[in-house]
Amino acid sequence: MSATLAKGQNGPLATNDVVISVQLTAPADLSALLVTERGKVRSDADFVFFNQPTGPGVNLQPAPAGQPASLAVSLNAVPADIDQVRAVITLDDATSNFGRFPAPTAIVSDSSGNRLYEYQIDGLNSESIVIALELYRRQGAWKVRAVGQGYAGGFAALVTDHGVTVDDAPAQSAQPAQAPPPPQAPNFSPPTTPAQPPPPQAPNFSPPTTPAQPPPPQAPSYPPPPGPGYPPPQGGPGYPPPSGPGAGYPPPAQPVQQPPAEVSLSKDRPVSLTKGQRVTLRKEGTALTFVKMGLGWDPVRSRGMFGNRTVDIDLDASVILFADTNPVDVAYYGQLISKDGSIRHQGDNLTGEGEGDDEVILVDLTRIPAHVTTLVFIVTSYKGHTFEQVQNAFCRLVDGVNNSELARYTLAGGMPFTAMAMAKLFRVGNDWKLQALGEGFPAKHPGEAVPHLGRFLVNG
């Protein structure tokens, strides 16, 4: 019997040979992108589609008339430097969109046809392309993750963002050369599972059509216009906020103190950061270009009449991108990749169990648009548990090239909040700096967190 995945959820793969197929009522094609940890193909040979049906460890298998082909993947044949195999569904008619049809379903089966996982891709509207699933490596094993991220930039834009050259792109790639619809803003719609009723829809962030081009986009209005959208926090200030950086945001829980002296990265051992401390992202005089932010925590075990009990605490790591004080994009369990592709969330952990990082966010500093000035890394408690019920909460910075830990910040003691701003990356001239934050506030997911982050956006 197959397991049902919700958006952002993952599951283990215990078999080496799997088949990815899709069910949908519109003519469409299935393709695959084999990408490294940076989210890029090594060459055009890592793009498997109808004009190139074979790639390293991945083969496109024909299907009966009217049905899209399937992807047969031999995981042990996928090259070691390939981190993910992404399955992409593309409608034949690039002027159409998924919103006109019933939601497609992505299926992962073993080589005998036994279904392992099913994922109904809900929430698609104006997109004609969706990254449906990805197979990815985690601690020496393979897993599957439900992605469900619509792509509004056209097929050529999708493969170009993954490093594929499109000079000789297939005919369907040429169609989206017409003016594409504007990128869809993240909708903060969490995956729906019986144990997790979805919260109301969060405010939309509207990234610019050309992410690297200033000036920065307008901030979302608060309160949102009538219809879907988050109300401002109860008892909070009105929006839009008064002029001035960070004005109008809830005041910090305690007076802001001057940060300790800035420290430098060391090649010998990771820097142990204290609250407010900063470090320049340069190692041995060379600016870092690709980093990982790992966030972790452990649930507190409590004693009861029938023995020890662990509270099922679902914490979620997210990163919100700001242009000055304006939120413009997000990467979180409901949208694993930022619209510009510079930030990738590695998926949701529902319990905090396990050693090491519970959730990992990859940041390609070279691809962050010029108008983005600050990245705020937060952890929110989906079910409303406070950080008083969590221990060993930490965030750490890892060099994405050699996987060495550069800096670590550990929270001492719990706080009566459901959200925490753990750290931020921000620009100073041509450099990026990391600052440890460790500030709590009330929020259960990123949409509720945004109005509380203004006090962290004054960089210096």
Side-chain angles (χ1 to χ4, degrees), residues 93-401:
D93 181 1
T95 64
S96 185
N97 59 69
F98 285 103
R100 300 180 182 179
F101 308 99
T105 299
I107 301 164
V108 179
S109 306
D110 62 20
S111 57
S112 300
N114 300 308
R115 293 191 178 191
L116 306 176
Y117 296 99
E118 296 184 16
Y119 168 41
Q120 182 170 302
I121 312 172
D122 295 313
L124 300 176
N125 293 302
S126 61
E127 305 93 335
S128 61
I129 302 167
V130 62
I131 302 175
L133 294 167
E134 62 185 14
L135 312 181
Y136 67 101
R137 299 182 194 268
R138 190 66 181 269
Q139 298 178 344
W142 282 94
K143 304 182 76 172
V144 60
R145 175 162 46 227
V147 179
Q149 179 168 331
Y151 203 89
F155 188 71
L158 170 70
V159 296
T160 300
D161 283 352
H162 285 81
V164 178
T165 56
V166 292
D167 296 338
D168 299 317
Q172 73 179 72
S173 300
Q175 295 181 14
Q178 306 169 7
Q184 297 296 308
N187 60 17
F188 282 134
S189 299
T192 303
T193 62
Q196 293 180 282
Q201 191 175 12
N204 289 335
F205 294 163
S206 300
T209 303
T210 305
Q213 178 179 338
Q218 296 295 316
S221 61
Y222 288 91
Y230 267 105
Q234 294 184 0
Y239 285 85
S243 59
Y249 287 95
Q254 52 190 351
V256 177
Q257 301 176 353
Q258 292 296 321
E262 188 169 302
V263 295
S264 300
L265 294 177
S266 169
K267 68 177 182 179
D268 300 322
R269 62 184 183 279
V271 174
S272 181
L273 296 176
T274 58
K275 184 176 180 178
Q277 200 163 42
R278 300 174 180 178
V279 58
T280 301
L281 299 196
R282 287 183 173 271
K283 186 181 180 184
E284 301 175 8
T286 303
L288 296 170
T289 58
F290 181 56
V291 298
K292 304 177 188 179
M293 183 65 74
L295 298 103
W297 59 87
D298 291 321
V300 173
R301 299 182 184 276
S302 59
R303 288 185 174 274
M305 182 180 299
F306 301 102
N308 292 339
R309 176 177 177 269
T310 301
V311 179
D312 184 12
I313 299 177
D314 180 8
L315 299 187
D316 300 304
S318 311
V319 57
I320 300 174
L321 293 73
F322 288 87
D324 295 324
T325 59
N326 301 330
V328 294
D329 204 353
V330 63
Y332 78 124
Y333 60 89
Q335 177 182 281
L336 295 174
I337 306 173
S338 63
K339 293 299 183 183
D340 54 68
S342 63
I343 299 178
R344 292 192 293 120
H345 193 299
Q346 293 291 81
D348 194 14
N349 181 316
L350 299 179
T351 65
E353 292 287 355
E355 299 296 327
D357 300 327
D358 292 309
E359 296 192 12
V360 176
I361 298 173
L362 308 181
V363 181
D364 187 344
L365 295 170
T366 66
R367 297 181 64 185
I368 295 176
H371 68 276
V372 173
T373 54
T374 307
L375 313 177
V376 181
F377 294 83
I378 66 172
V379 178
T380 51
S381 178
Y382 190 93
K383 297 179 181 179
H385 297 102
T386 71
F387 279 80
E388 293 169 309
Q389 297 173 276
V390 176
Q391 62 186 8
N392 302 328
F394 70 89
C395 67
R396 67 186 191 120
L397 183 75
V398 177
D399 187 335
V401 176

Side-chain angles (χ1 to χ4, degrees), residues 7-155:
K7 186 173 184 178
Q9 289 186 329
N10 57 58
L13 291 172
T15 182
N16 177 69
D17 296 311
V18 297
V19 177
I20 300 174
S21 58
V22 295
Q23 292 180 345
L24 73 172
T25 58
D29 289 304
L30 186 62
S31 56
L33 289 157
L34 288 77
V35 299
T36 65
E37 193 174 44
R38 289 176 176 265
K40 296 283 191 178
V41 299
R42 301 167 304 173
S43 71
D44 291 358
D46 291 336
F47 177 35
V48 178
F49 66 114
F50 55 85
N51 277 347
Q52 184 172 269
T54 301
V58 181
N59 292 284
L60 198 61
Q61 296 181 331
Q67 293 295 319
S70 57
L71 291 165
V73 184
S74 295
L75 297 173
N76 63 356
V78 176
D81 54 345
I82 293 297
D83 188 63
Q84 300 176 11
V85 177
R86 296 179 179 168
V88 179
I89 307 172
T90 308
L91 293 178
D92 281 358
D93 181 1
T95 64
S96 185
N97 59 69
F98 285 103
R100 300 180 182 179
F101 308 99
T105 299
I107 301 164
V108 179
S109 306
D110 62 20
S111 57
S112 300
N114 300 308
R115 293 191 178 191
L116 306 176
Y117 296 99
E118 296 184 16
Y119 168 41
Q120 182 170 302
I121 312 172
D122 295 313
L124 300 176
N125 293 302
S126 61
E127 305 93 335
S128 61
I129 302 167
V130 62
I131 302 175
L133 294 167
E134 62 185 14
L135 312 181
Y136 67 101
R137 299 182 194 268
R138 190 66 181 269
Q139 298 178 344
W142 282 94
K143 304 182 76 172
V144 60
R145 175 162 46 227
V147 179
Q149 179 168 331
Y151 203 89
F155 188 71

